[in-house]
Amino acid sequence: MKVHPVSLAMLAMLLSAASAQAAGDLYFSEYVEGTSNNKALEIYNGTGAGVDLSAYQVRYYFNGSASAGTTINLSGTLADGDVFVLAHASAEAAILTVANQTSAASWYNGDDAIALVKSGVNVDVIGQIGFDPGSEWGSGDASTADNTLRRLLSVTGGDGNGGDAFVPSAEWAGFPTNTFSGLGAYPDGGVVAMVLTIPEIQGAGHVSPVNGELVETTGVVTAVDSNGFYLQDAVGDGNPETSDGLFVFTSSAPGVSVGNSVKVTASVSEFQPGGASTGNLTTTELGGPTVELLLASVALPAPAILGSAGSLPPVLTIDDDNFAVFDPASDGIDFYEAFEGMRVQVQSPVAVSSRNKFGEIYTLTDGGAFATGLNARSGITITEADGNPERIQVQLDAQILPGFEPLVNTGDLLGDIVGVVSYDFGNFEIKPTQPFAVSPTGLLPETADAVPADDHLSIASFNVLNLDPKIESLAWVNSAADIDDDIGDHRFERLGVQIVANLLSPDIIALQEVQDSDGAELTGVTDASLTYQTLVAAIEAAGGPTYEYRDIPPVNLADGGQPGGNIRVGFLFNPARVSIDESSLQKIVDPNLGDGDAFADSRKPLVAAFDFQGRRITFIDNHFSSKGGSTPLFGLVQPPVNGSVAKRVAQAQVVHDVVADLLALDRDANVVVLGDLNEFAFNEPLAVLKGEPTPILFNLTETLPELERYSYVFDGNAQSLDHILVSASLAPIAQVDAVHVNAEFQEQASDHDPLLARLAFAPTCQPDLGFGGPGAATLAVCGDPLGPTGIANLVLSGLPAGTAGLLFFGLNAAPLATHGGHFVPLPLLGSISLVDDDLDGVIDLPIPGVLVGVPVSVIVQFVYPDASLQPFGFGFSNALGMEFLGG
């Protein structure tokens, strides 16, 4: 790379401009808050005359104090156009060699305010006196903690108001920790700017080779944002590994227009959106610019084509070498970096997500023709081996393209998208500079397959997204962002329709993210009765059954989620189909707090046992800790961090152990574990929950084709966060489907799709056993009372209306076979009167399980309303004994 120093004429012009903008007093021009004692302040004299420093002090205000904790008196004379460096006495040599004065007193940290004082009056302040910001002011490199700040060239005086809010990016350019290269000279680099092309500034890599230097470059303005503009080399260097564009940060509305040809003199910096804690990549930008208009209107550079007619992104690998080699041809993270700041065109894109509330749309080039991982509904599914780097985020920016808000659903075909490449919130993005067409493909919400026989139990898991019936009061919430209107937004209505029309009214619904009855209001209310009642009413209004609900309210503010909302898990169930064992309802808590509470600040799983046609099924409804703390797929940390995974592993272990205890009591126990587990099927928490190496639970998600395993779409990746797992007794008779009604669509009742499973129990345990009754009368038994939690239904049908009879039951170890069942001598233990009260010819009698491993004999003797039907005498000619299956 060839470096061109500025000419003497240019140097004279810069010096002349600086003199013409002479400040009224001294001001800080650089701030260093590095590791250990690497702390320094640079003070600039732009007054037009030499200044005696004996009237000046520097004061440090620690931890929000309004009184100075350290005061340092300055000495000497500062010439016009020169700088004075005050440094910590124990700083590194790179600082001390340019220091004019040192001090070993207590120095500042990132949350401490600093004032330059003349004769007792503040002339410049960094931070806000009397206010503690927490750890720092600002974010990313443009912050006061562990960074270097350099005053933008557009700033020509200090801010003496120590009480106003301090936003570093408004007047400062930020640089990484221990950047000392500009200390002792202002503007940076000793005034002399390097004349470079934009590709030379960008370089072939993620960080500019001239980061921190003052540069001069030229280009064409391709897009204008609220705080800067995108600049692109008019020709480019032809190197596919170096970008021809970048962003010029002006901090306020720039005075340029698209098509301007300009010359920019500015400092190069690497800006990290959101700060270091996000794990975001940095973007190369020019800060504190001086902009000179060369031509008012020139042709824009032709956009680089992303697609088969230009460059196709990699389809499998985001990063495979932790940035060791810059390889845009194979690593997606390097591919997009090579276009940073440039004007591009996405060729024939298809949407693999809807447009979300942030204006984001994820797309694939060429209608998805070259993508891997496409699912049957035109989305793209993340798998263990494929993070889908070919996803291209389109970010609608109202500052660049105002008024363009198209309705976009997954699968829609989009016209060619022209825009500039940027980066934010963990993703490269294209900000369109002109509208594009949307051609809907008519993707419809799914409807479950028709309900099968009545003996199939249908169960669902559904995260209903912070559902509550209250429009919160601003006086009772943390911020206006916590106010919503789920009724006015028709969320209850839409959920009711989805449950009835799309899920076909499941027998049991495990819900997550049910908020208390006053939503996010910080009132201490935890009861959610009104939330449930409103949802139940919406289901009824949609033509569904009258569900009952159960939950156990959380302790106020103890289970995480939106403050005040007290989200919890709970059950809806149809009492006409199932009954709940009230004594079974309980929370799961961590039994061992010695290593911490697995469910601290997280939802507690809820256990409930339901009886269905003679069978007992135990449900555990879960909402594991979120993925908060994860680093982005396109981020600095490679491979990315799976946030809070240790908490989910611990939670999975507790739930696994509860299931293991149930199976220890009854190895054939019917157990269903379901909910929003906030984890992919192939990651550790799910392996722990199932049990390794010998599983005790089986994840029904894994029975689906790999690309159809999704119930949520995040950053354009379809993924499985919700799961239904079952014990071995249920696995052979279970089927599952993710019913896609929300995640793929711009209009959503929730951000999750529900899961629906059906358990196809055998119609009877002993079908049509027969007995000596008249006509078509039959007897059947469904269920198993011989298990410790068993129950059975004795069903007699085809009887003459109004039949009455007696049921005798007892025990026998050696029954004798007779017509279809077991005829036994009756060791009488008890009897029950049976009457067909509703005159439908059917008697249905539940028999609870109280015996283990012992055959049960049942004999039925009938008295018919028509004496002519009554068998001769009172004997066993129409009686039947049977041994229930199981035990």
Side-chain angles (χ1 to χ4, degrees):
M1 179 180 65
K2 188 175 182 181
V3 177
H4 305 280
V6 294
S7 65
L8 292 177
M10 174 60 71
L11 177 58
M13 184 177 69
L14 288 173
L15 292 175
S16 174
S19 177
Q21 297 177 345
D25 212 323
L26 309 184
Y27 60 91
F28 292 120
S29 53
E30 188 154 341
Y31 162 100
V32 176
E33 206 281 297
T35 57
S36 187
N37 293 315
N38 290 330
K39 303 175 192 292
L41 296 165
E42 181 184 272
I43 301 168
Y44 177 66
N45 179 7
T47 63
V51 174
D52 181 0
L53 296 177
S54 62
Y56 290 83
Q57 297 174 324
V58 173
R59 297 177 181 175
Y60 305 150
Y61 295 82
F62 301 126
N63 303 315
S65 174
S67 301
T70 292
T71 298
I72 301 173
N73 296 310
L74 303 184
S75 61
T77 300
L78 180 57
D80 177 45
D82 203 356
V83 294
F84 180 90
V85 177
L86 173 66
H88 193 290
S90 299
E92 290 184 11
I95 293 176
L96 295 179
T97 55
V98 296
N100 301 99
Q101 183 175 333
T102 62
S103 171
S106 296
W107 277 62
Y108 53 81
N109 290 310
D111 60 345
D112 302 323
I114 304 165
L116 176 63
V117 181
K118 178 183 180 182
S119 301
V121 178
N122 294 336
V123 295
D124 197 10
V125 177
I126 299 173
Q128 183 178 354
I129 297 172
F131 174 76
D132 188 344
S135 60
E136 62 184 0
W137 283 277
S139 63
D141 287 344
S143 70
T144 52
D146 304 322
N147 289 316
T148 292
L149 299 175
R150 293 178 188 153
R151 212 66 175 256
L152 300 179
L153 300 181
S154 56
V155 178
T156 58
D159 176 9
N161 184 357
D164 62 358
F166 180 65
V167 181
S169 61
E171 293 193 354
W172 301 81
F175 300 89
T177 307
N178 291 340
T179 299
F180 314 135
S181 58
L183 197 62
Y186 183 76
D188 176 43
V191 177
V192 179
M194 294 184 289
V195 179
L196 301 173
T197 65
I198 292 175
E200 288 173 329
I201 295 170
Q202 281 280 13
H206 288 268
V207 176
S208 168
V210 290
N211 183 30
E213 301 297 334
L214 188 71
V215 298
E216 174 193 305
T217 194
T218 59
V220 181
V221 177
T222 58
V224 177
D225 213 329
S226 60
N227 60 353
F229 59 92
Y230 290 84
L231 187 68
Q232 185 162 331
D233 191 278
V235 179
D237 66 351
N239 182 351
E241 295 191 355
T242 57
S243 170
D244 296 335
L246 47 63
F247 184 68
V248 180
F249 177 69
T250 58
S251 79
S252 58
V256 298
S257 300
V258 173
N260 286 171
S261 174
V262 298
K263 176 165 61 179
V264 177
T265 303
S267 295
V268 181
S269 66
E270 290 290 334
F271 174 67
Q272 188 175 31
S277 63
T278 63
N280 285 336
L281 296 176
T282 63
T283 59
T284 302
E285 64 179 36
L286 301 182
T290 299
V291 181
E292 177 184 347
L293 179 64
L294 301 178
L295 292 171
S297 180
V298 299
L300 298 182
I305 304 298
L306 302 185
S308 57
S311 301
L312 282 169
V315 297
L316 290 175
T317 304
I318 292 177
D319 175 83
D320 60 5
D321 54 22
N322 198 18
F323 301 101
V325 177
F326 189 70
D327 188 0
S330 66
D331 288 6
I333 203 165
D334 298 339
F335 175 86
Y336 296 108
E337 173 68 27
F339 292 95
E340 180 186 82
M342 283 182 62
R343 190 167 184 255
V344 298
Q345 175 179 311
V346 185
Q347 174 182 310
S348 303
V350 59
V352 293
S353 78
S354 62
R355 176 172 70 85
N356 64 23
K357 64 182 179 180
F358 303 110
E360 300 168 347
I361 308 165
Y362 285 83
T363 67
L364 300 173
T365 72
D366 299 280
F370 299 95
T372 59
L374 281 177
N375 58 51
R377 291 174 60 83
S378 299
I380 188 166
T381 306
I382 194 170
T383 64
E384 188 171 14
D386 188 358
N388 299 321
E390 63 266 49
R391 290 170 297 117
I392 298 175
Q393 180 188 336
V394 176
Q395 176 67 64
L396 301 180
D397 186 330
Q399 304 300 320
I400 291 178
L401 185 61
F404 184 60
E405 298 180 349
L407 174 65
V408 177
N409 290 320
T410 299
D412 287 352
L413 302 178
L414 312 178
D416 289 351
I417 298 172
V418 176
V420 289
V421 177
S422 184
Y423 179 95
D424 205 355
F425 293 100
N427 277 294
F428 289 96
E429 57 189 22
I430 296 173
K431 296 185 175 184
T433 53
Q434 60 195 50
F436 52 84
V438 178
S439 299
T441 54
L443 185 72
L444 295 175
E446 284 188 328
T447 297
D449 292 337
V451 177
D454 287 344
D455 45 41
H456 287 210
L457 178 69
S458 60
I459 57 180
S461 177
F462 204 165
N463 182 319
V464 291
L465 184 61
N466 287 327
L467 189 68
D468 74 86
K470 181 72 181 295
I471 303 176
E472 291 87 350
S473 168
L474 183 60
W476 288 100
V477 295
N478 276 341
S479 71
D482 291 324
I483 299 174
D484 61 18
D485 181 7
D486 290 344
I487 293 179
D489 291 340
H490 304 289
R491 289 193 57 226
F492 281 94
E493 179 182 336
R494 283 182 283 160
L495 287 168
V497 170
Q498 288 178 356
I499 288 170
V500 176
N502 301 95
L503 297 181
L504 306 182
S505 303
D507 300 317
I508 300 170
I509 307 173
L511 299 175
Q512 302 88 43
E513 289 199 26
V514 175
Q515 288 198 343
D516 60 40
S517 294
D518 66 4
E521 291 187 348
L522 297 163
T523 59
V525 170
T526 61
D527 178 76
S529 296
L530 184 58
T531 308
Y532 284 111
Q533 291 164 5
T534 307
L535 179 57
V536 168
I539 294 170
E540 284 187 84
T546 301
Y547 283 95
E548 293 185 17
Y549 62 88
R550 297 291 188 276
D551 76 10
I552 299 178
V555 175
N556 188 40
L557 303 178
D559 282 8
Q562 188 178 29
N566 291 309
I567 58 173
R568 83 288 308 278
V569 300
F571 292 101
L572 297 182
F573 63 95
N574 181 354
R577 294 275 294 161
V578 297
S579 60
I580 187 171
D581 178 355
E582 302 289 356
S583 66
S584 69
L585 195 67
Q586 60 180 313
K587 291 182 183 180
I588 292 178
V589 297
D590 189 343
N592 177 18
L593 302 181
D595 55 355
D597 184 355
F599 297 103
D601 299 318
S602 185
R603 283 66 58 185
K604 313 306 185 282
L606 186 64
V607 180
F610 292 90
D611 292 321
F612 172 71
Q613 296 184 354
R615 293 165 176 86
R616 168 74 48 103
I617 306 102
T618 299
F619 287 78
I620 303 177
D621 188 3
N622 304 270
H623 186 188
F624 285 179
S625 291
S626 74
K627 286 181 173 288
S630 296
T631 57
L633 294 181
F634 288 92
L636 279 177
V637 181
Q638 294 294 333
V641 172
N642 185 5
S644 302
V645 66
K647 286 202 69 173
R648 291 191 295 280
V649 167
Q651 292 166 354
Q653 187 66 62
V654 172
V655 175
H656 167 274
D657 292 347
V658 169
V659 175
D661 289 343
L662 290 172
L663 295 175
L665 293 174
D666 178 5
R667 67 181 183 182
D668 295 321
N670 300 316
V671 183
V672 179
V673 176
L674 72 176
D676 177 3
L677 304 184
N678 270 312
E679 195 56 90
F680 305 151
F682 47 78
N683 282 343
E684 183 181 6
L686 268 297
V688 170
L689 183 58
K690 291 187 297 183
E692 296 284 343
T694 304
I696 61 173
L697 288 169
F698 301 86
N699 191 356
L700 299 183
T701 298
E702 295 177 304
T703 66
L704 297 171
E706 187 175 35
L707 297 182
E708 307 311 315
R709 299 173 190 173
Y710 68 95
S711 58
Y712 190 74
V713 177
F714 179 73
D715 285 353
N717 268 327
Q719 51 198 252
S720 60
L721 298 183
D722 307 274
H723 302 272
I724 299 179
L725 299 91
V726 297
S727 57
S729 61
L730 297 177
I733 62 170
Q735 291 184 327
V736 73
D737 189 21
V739 183
H740 302 302
V741 293
N742 289 313
E744 300 163 325
F745 300 96
Q746 188 166 319
E747 296 295 328
Q748 301 178 336
S750 172
D751 53 349
H752 287 248
D753 289 328
L755 298 186
L756 180 67
R758 292 198 176 110
L759 304 178
F761 290 107
T764 58
C765 296
Q766 292 170 283
D768 193 12
L769 295 174
F771 63 97
T778 61
L779 180 148
V781 176
C782 180
D784 176 16
L786 298 184
T789 58
I791 191 170
N793 279 338
L794 185 70
V795 182
L796 303 111
S797 58
L799 300 171
T803 296
L806 293 175
L807 179 144
F808 305 92
F809 57 93
L811 311 178
N812 193 283
L816 302 173
T818 185
H819 53 284
H822 297 99
F823 184 77
V824 297
L826 182 65
L828 187 62
L829 292 182
S831 63
I832 300 173
S833 174
L834 303 172
V835 180
D836 177 23
D837 291 321
D838 56 5
L839 305 180
D840 65 352
V842 176
I843 297 176
D844 187 344
L845 178 69
I847 303 174
V850 293
L851 304 168
V852 179
V854 179
V856 176
S857 298
V858 176
I859 297 176
V860 184
Q861 173 70 54
F862 292 98
V863 178
Y864 299 106
D866 184 343
S868 66
L869 299 176
Q870 179 68 38
F872 177 76
F874 183 84
F876 295 115
S877 61
N878 68 330
L880 176 68
M882 78 241 13
E883 178 182 357
F884 288 103
L885 301 179

